[in-house]
Amino acid sequence: MSFDLAAAIAETPAGGVVNVPAGTWATSLLIDKPISLLAHGVVVLDGQRRGTVLRVRTTGVVKVLGFSIVGGRTNTLGGGVLLDGGELELTQCTLRFNEAPVYGGGALALRAGTARIKSCRFEGNTGRQGGGILVDHDATLVMRDSLVAQNAGFDGGGLRVKESGNAELLGCTLADNVVLGETPTGGAVSLSGSTTASPRVTLSHCVVSERKQGPELLHNFAGAPGTLTLTHCLLPEWCHALGGDNLFGPAGFVGQGNEPYALTAQSAAAGAGVPFAYGPGARDVLGRAREGVDLGCFAAPR
Amino acid sequence: MVSKIAPRLTAALADKTVSKQEADDIIAAAKTEPKWTPQLQAELSTFVSKNASKLDPQAKVALESFLKSTHPRVDLPDPALQKADRTDVTWTPVAPDATLYVDTISADDVAQGYIGDCYLASGLSSLANANPENIKKAITDNKDGTYTVRFFQNVASGHPKAVNVTVDDDVAMGKSGPQYASARDSKELWPGLLEKAYAKWKGGYDKVGNGGTACDLFQAITGKPATDETIGDSAPDALFKKISTAVAAHRPVAAGTYADDDPKVHYTNTGVHGDHFYTVLGTSEEGGQKYVQLRNPWGFSEPAGNGPDDGIFKLPLADFMKLYENIEFGG
């Protein structure tokens, strides 16, 4: 099949749309203008372990819809996607098996700008800091209805937020992310600042679950702490000291099949949210209407 | 809170002279302070200098000797060193007669320690190679065993903001020598001090020892924006020109390699290591062939045929582009 994605991007003017046909495209691309990339059918962007798959560095908005982004590998930031400025909208994408083993953000790294993530999956990525996602400097992550599962890192298995980074998660599921190495911290989320910077992380209506306890599910480094806010989340029982308006207990995942992190009808997360938390027309990670206010990225069966 | 030495200083001046016994009492009180801070050091130093004419000669010798022997301790908390396998590490001055700089500042001064901060060690070497004045301007010798390093806060979203970080000159010594960055000349302090201050700023050696970018270090030292590029984005001649121009303009440059298990890049027998950062020292042209000059921040381990094993070597441009993934330029 003859389709040159790099050439298509180069030829598309700012504000234009690149329609990418179904298929697997080996690529490592720099997007330096505000354009939209739309996947038609099953479109896989494969980094083939030769650098970051997509690097975004612009002053406008870049929209990426419907892709699988796999096989990226870099020695610095963001195996799958690196945002280096501007605004990135990532919708209904799956980022899987990307690596950033020397620094971080296996699937996604934000060094500058704002990323708005909706209905995406971050699965099986590895990064030294942030197996799934790294938010660095003063970048902002706004993520909803997304799954962060089975990622691995040394510091922040699922999500690592540092310096003055800001992360706001709504209706997301963080499950089975792991930390490894000599001083592993933050299985699901790790945040730390510096003596002059402090990150902020807010999790609302999220389900946070780990297969086993510790070494610390949510790590806020005491030496240079950030602000970690958890509201209306379902957390493991052994986190009950966190208190607040959160729930504590088993996640109540289906645990098998294609969607092991989907909720059972009996899950404590089912219907446990605050009315209107998701706003009108909300949909879960599978694109289903959110009929109730369930915690996490999957709507519970009714 | 009033220090323990304050009332002793007041009492000693009651009769307008300070005897040897009163000096000994002051020293005894100083030794019972829970922590000997820079403030206490300044309090006693000021007392001695302001009242020099009132001090008995023996009292003056005793107090000055005490001040000289007492460095404020501002060691860096380091959880990694609490680990069982690091119990043999001790914090100690690197050498009795160590100084900030021995001879000139050079790229070859830096030796990476046993943490994953090749980006930092190679970056320090790049800064030394580009413009030693940037390093000199960043470090202030406080003349009390401590040094203040001036960094600039990330400038990505505005005007750079100066951040001062003070550290002492103790280093973590293990059986194999310094555990963190050091100078190849054991009497030279600047590489270890800069790394220590950077680590203190960022929350500890654990926080800088899990990777990073040379760009961040370049910005922190120069206050100027830094950029990075994927080498595969550039045409060979354009890349060569860009590196040559940057080095000629005294800008720091570093480059990182691909994964050491990359299926398309075979590092075996190349003398270059995967997943590693190197200082880019410059470029050259010999017999029509373009070369990139590099330095391994370990201070050793290089491709064969490059003279003594000091980590400094050159690669043909084509090999450089094949083995290296990205390149970072400071301002």
Side-chain angles (χ1 to χ4, degrees):
Chain A
M1 193 182 294
S2 62
F3 175 74
D4 187 334
L5 179 55
I9 289 173
E11 291 164 4
T12 301
V17 177
V18 178
N19 293 294
V20 185
T24 297
W25 311 106
T27 191
S28 175
L29 291 169
L30 172 65
I31 301 175
D32 59 1
K33 56 191 169 188
I35 57 173
S36 298
L37 266 61
L38 301 184
H40 291 263
V42 177
V43 182
V44 179
L45 304 181
D46 187 352
Q48 298 192 327
R49 307 187 77 228
R50 296 284 292 175
T52 300
V53 180
L54 288 180
R55 286 164 285 133
V56 177
R57 183 182 293 168
T58 181
T59 52
V61 181
V62 171
K63 298 179 181 180
V64 179
L65 175 64
F67 291 85
S68 284
I69 297 170
V70 305
R73 191 193 197 282
T74 181
N75 64 27
T76 59
L77 287 161
V81 178
L82 168 63
L83 176 62
D84 219 355
E87 203 167 306
L88 169 67
E89 291 183 13
L90 205 61
T91 307
Q92 294 171 12
C93 289
T94 295
L95 292 88
R96 188 175 290 157
F97 310 138
N98 301 286
E99 305 166 60
V102 182
Y103 189 7
L108 170 67
L110 313 181
R111 182 156 56 184
T114 299
R116 301 186 189 281
I117 312 293
K118 179 152 179 25
S119 301
C120 289
R121 295 164 176 267
F122 299 83
E123 300 168 339
N125 305 283
T126 55
R128 192 154 179 151
Q129 296 188 37
I133 302 168
L134 169 65
V135 183
D136 203 351
H137 296 306
D138 55 359
T140 294
L141 169 71
V142 180
M143 183 161 73
R144 60 174 295 169
D145 310 314
S146 295
L147 174 66
V148 181
Q150 297 186 19
N151 303 286
F154 283 9
D155 188 359
L159 171 64
R160 168 89 166 98
V161 185
K162 58 188 294 192
E163 297 290 337
S164 300
N166 182 33
E168 302 167 20
L169 276 63
L170 172 67
C172 294
T173 298
L174 290 82
D176 290 345
N177 300 290
V178 296
V179 277
L180 314 162
E182 288 187 350
T183 54
T185 47
V189 178
S190 173
L191 62 160
S192 69
S194 68
T195 58
T196 55
S198 178
R200 299 173 67 85
V201 176
T202 302
L203 271 62
S204 177
H205 290 73
C206 293
V207 175
V208 184
S209 171
E210 297 303 305
R211 203 169 293 171
K212 57 185 179 182
Q213 183 170 333
E216 275 184 76
L217 182 64
L218 304 157
H219 179 75
N220 191 359
F221 177 54
T227 302
L228 175 62
T229 305
L230 298 157
T231 178
H232 300 289
C233 291
L234 175 58
L235 304 160
E237 178 61 40
W238 51 272
C239 290
H240 70 274
L242 291 170
D245 54 16
N246 301 293
L247 302 173
F248 302 95
F253 293 143
V254 169
Q256 59 187 1
N258 289 336
E259 299 292 357
Y261 301 109
L263 300 175
T264 63
Q266 293 74 38
S267 169
V274 175
F276 312 115
Y278 295 124
R283 295 186 174 275
D284 74 355
V285 71
L286 296 175
R288 303 175 301 185
R290 283 191 183 268
E291 295 175 2
V293 190
D294 307 314
L295 310 184
C297 66
F298 291 96
R302 295 196 150 70
Chain B
M1 196 169 101
V2 177
S3 68
K4 291 185 178 180
I5 62 169
R8 300 281 182 177
L9 300 179
T10 305
L13 288 173
D15 61 355
K16 311 291 185 191
T17 61
V18 180
S19 68
K20 172 68 165 53
Q21 182 57 54
E22 287 170 324
D24 288 343
D25 289 345
I26 292 167
I27 293 167
K31 288 178 176 173
T32 63
E33 294 282 357
K35 186 170 175 63
W36 189 247
T37 64
Q39 290 74 26
L40 288 169
Q41 183 88 356
E43 188 177 2
L44 187 53
S45 295
T46 303
F47 174 84
V48 172
S49 58
K50 272 192 172 179
N51 301 291
S53 62
K54 298 171 187 170
L55 297 176
D56 175 274
Q58 284 187 309
K60 188 169 186 289
V61 168
L63 287 169
E64 287 181 341
S65 175
F66 173 73
L67 280 168
K68 195 174 178 182
S69 69
T70 309
H71 286 172
R73 301 292 90 178
V74 284
D75 280 337
L76 191 65
D78 183 2
L81 291 182
Q82 306 304 316
K83 294 169 68 64
D85 60 348
R86 296 270 185 99
T87 52
D88 57 336
V89 169
T90 56
W91 286 92
T92 178
V94 63
D97 52 350
T99 60
L100 252 182
Y101 313 110
V102 174
D103 300 327
T104 57
I105 296 173
S106 81
D108 197 29
D109 289 343
V110 184
Q112 186 185 347
Y114 296 104
I115 57 173
D117 68 347
C118 52
Y119 70 95
L120 184 55
S122 61
L124 291 174
S125 181
S126 301
L127 286 158
N129 182 62
N131 187 356
E133 284 305 308
N134 279 331
I135 290 168
K136 282 188 178 175
K137 281 192 280 188
I139 306 176
T140 301
D141 184 350
N142 298 322
K143 308 293 184 189
D144 61 358
T146 70
Y147 299 83
T148 298
V149 179
R150 187 266 299 121
F151 295 112
F152 290 105
Q153 183 98 18
N154 177 33
V155 295
S157 29
H159 203 66
K161 175 187 164 193
V163 175
N164 292 316
V165 180
T166 299
V167 292
D168 62 32
D169 59 1
D170 286 0
V171 296
M173 298 293 286
K175 287 176 182 169
S176 53
Q179 298 297 293
Y180 301 131
S182 60
R184 280 156 58 82
D185 185 323
S186 64
K187 292 178 179 162
E188 188 162 32
L189 294 173
W190 76 264
L193 287 176
L194 271 177
E195 184 196 54
K196 188 175 189 178
Y198 194 75
K200 185 178 181 182
W201 181 26
K202 300 297 181 185
Y205 284 106
D206 274 1
K207 296 301 174 192
V208 299
N210 266 334
T213 68
C215 274
D216 288 349
L217 177 72
F218 295 159
Q219 288 189 1
I221 296 294
T222 68
K224 297 174 183 171
T227 59
D228 66 349
E229 293 183 15
T230 298
I231 286 173
D233 288 347
S234 298
D237 286 348
L239 178 65
F240 187 80
K241 186 178 178 185
K242 189 157 196 174
I243 297 171
S244 304
T245 303
V247 173
H250 303 288
R251 293 169 59 197
V253 186
T257 54
Y258 287 102
D260 56 10
D261 62 346
D262 189 298
K264 294 181 181 174
V265 180
H266 300 289
Y267 287 101
T268 307
N269 299 324
T270 64
V272 176
H273 299 272
D275 284 333
H276 195 36
F277 259 85
Y278 289 76
T279 301
V280 177
L281 297 172
T283 57
S284 63
E285 284 192 76
E286 298 164 33
Q289 174 78 277
K290 291 182 169 72
Y291 292 92
V292 179
Q293 295 156 346
L294 298 142
R295 178 179 184 271
N296 187 336
W298 300 345
F300 63 93
S301 191
E302 63 186 45
N306 279 277
D309 186 13
D310 55 4
I312 296 172
F313 60 97
K314 65 180 181 182
L315 283 178
L317 179 62
D319 290 350
F320 173 74
M321 295 187 73
K322 188 176 82 176
L323 295 171
Y324 288 76
E325 177 190 351
N326 66 321
I327 187 162
E328 307 196 3
F329 298 94

